[in-house]
């Protein structure tokens, strides 16, 4: 899931079927580059020769 960058308040609701014996949910915060591969390639092309 990708959340809006403009907010710091999120809610995730998951309804687990009653017949599940147990369920675990782990949420990680991704600290990497949030750009798509296309945006990264455009930046690479734009910066080519700028150095």
């Amino acid at each position: 899931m990708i959340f809006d960058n403009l907010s710091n308040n999120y809610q995730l609701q998951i309804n687990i079927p009653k017949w599940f014996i147990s369920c675990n949910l782990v949420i990680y915060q991704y600290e990497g580059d949030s750009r798509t591969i296309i945006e990264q390639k455009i930046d690479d092309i734009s910066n080519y020769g700028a150095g």
Side-chain angles (χ1 to χ4, degrees), residues 38-50:
I38 294 172
E39 291 170 321
Q40 293 172 13
K41 295 296 182 187
I42 290 172
D43 287 347
D44 291 345
I45 292 169
S46 296
N47 293 327
Y48 183 75

Side-chain angles (χ1 to χ4, degrees), residues 1 6-7 9-10 14 16-18 24-25 30-31 40 50:
M1 302 182 87
L6 300 178
S7 177
N9 188 12
Y10 304 105
I14 299 174
I16 306 299
K18 292 180 181 180
N24 294 318
L25 175 67
Y30 178 68
E31 297 288 339
Q40 293 172 13

Side-chain angles (χ1 to χ4, degrees), residues 13-42:
Q13 182 176 349
I14 299 174
N15 295 321
I16 306 299
K18 292 180 181 180
W19 48 266
F20 271 50
I21 295 172
S22 67
C23 180
N24 294 318
L25 175 67
V26 178
I27 298 175
Y28 295 95
Q29 180 175 339
Y30 178 68
E31 297 288 339
D33 194 348
S34 63
R35 299 175 303 159
T36 65
I37 190 71
I38 294 172
E39 291 170 321
Q40 293 172 13
K41 295 296 182 187
I42 290 172

